């Protein structure tokens, strides 16, 4: 059940189309604007998580928060380049993911840390499946497959306890699938 969800969230037609360079600009740009909204929501969640995290988790979460701020700058650069307006309404899947982040925020720290690990791990795996040498979207693939990002995901993995949190893992993965689906509609 969880295996199937991991696969669905990391092997999606959106990612195949990125890899094969058949993704429509409108679909990619829709994903870009919605993901910028998601990252802003994620930063809110993560900053709050940092505030209540145990000592050993603080460094990883603080570093990750700075990386999210940089990522928001990077989204602005990408949006300008692609002539995408970032001031957009959140679509239903983005709003639903925002609700999930609020639920994680209300959870004990171990569940919330596990949710954050899934959120990042799934992006590392998903974009790895979109890799190809020649894609004009290579920069996006490289962003979420970079060694520094993989190391961050590993560090979050040290803090996560997925064994006890099947429900959290399943919920995050379900929202990831819905997010890719949204991008392609
Ligand atoms: C939907 N999931 C989604 N967007 C992202 N940028 C990440 C995870 C990783 O930060």
């Amino acid at each position: 059940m969880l295996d199937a969800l991991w696969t669905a969230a990391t092997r999606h037609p959106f990612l195949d189309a990125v890899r094969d360079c058949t993704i429509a600009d409108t679909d990619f740009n829709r994903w870009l604007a919605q993901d910028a909204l998601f990252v802003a929501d994620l930063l809110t969640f993560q900053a709050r998580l940092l505030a209540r995290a145990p000592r050993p988790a603080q460094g990883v979460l603080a570093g990750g928060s700075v990386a999210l701020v940089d990522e928001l700058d990077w989204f602005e650069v990408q949006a300008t380049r692609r002539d995408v307006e970032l001031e957009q309404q959140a679509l239903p899947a983005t709003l639903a993911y925002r609700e999930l982040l609020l639920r994680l925020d209300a959870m004990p720290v171990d569940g919330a840390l596990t949710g954050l690990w899934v959120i990042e791990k799934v992006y590392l795996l998903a974009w790895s499946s979109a890799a190809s040498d020649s894609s004009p979207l290579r920069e996006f693939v490289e962003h979420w497959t970079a060694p520094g990002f993989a190391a961050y995901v590993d560090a979050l993995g040290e803090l996560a306890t997925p064994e006890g949190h099947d429900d959290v893992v399943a919920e995050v993965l379900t929202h990831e699938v819905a997010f890719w689906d949204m991008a392609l509609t």
Side-chain angles (χ1 to χ4, degrees), residues 37-172:
L37 291 169
F38 170 81
V39 171
D41 293 340
L42 184 61
L43 176 58
T44 304
F45 162 73
Q46 185 152 343
R48 288 197 177 138
L49 182 55
L50 169 58
R52 65 193 176 105
R55 273 292 293 136
Q58 288 171 349
V60 176
L61 292 174
S65 299
V66 173
L68 289 177
V69 175
D70 290 343
E71 193 160 290
L72 289 172
D73 292 340
W74 180 79
F75 268 102
E76 277 171 24
V77 171
Q78 297 298 340
T80 303
R81 224 182 256 169
R82 298 180 63 86
D83 209 15
V84 173
E85 177 58 67
L86 282 187
E87 309 285 304
Q88 290 191 25
Q89 294 271 346
L91 293 174
T94 309
L95 290 172
Y97 215 144
R98 183 178 293 166
E99 297 287 316
L100 171 58
L101 291 173
L102 288 172
R103 289 202 296 283
L104 291 174
D105 188 40
M107 251 178 221
V109 173
D110 57 338
L113 280 171
T114 301
L116 178 59
W117 167 71
V118 179
I119 287 168
E120 300 296 16
K121 175 81 179 176
V122 77
Y123 246 46
L124 174 65
L125 296 174
W127 285 96
S128 301
S129 83
S132 71
D133 290 337
S134 55
S135 170
L137 300 168
R138 176 168 77 245
E139 199 180 329
F140 290 87
V141 175
E142 283 164 5
H143 185 82
W144 280 292
T145 56
F149 181 62
Y152 172 58
V153 172
D154 282 346
L156 286 176
E158 300 280 313
L159 305 170
T161 48
E163 315 75 35
H165 290 104
D166 277 1
D167 49 342
V168 169
V169 177
E171 261 218 288
V172 171

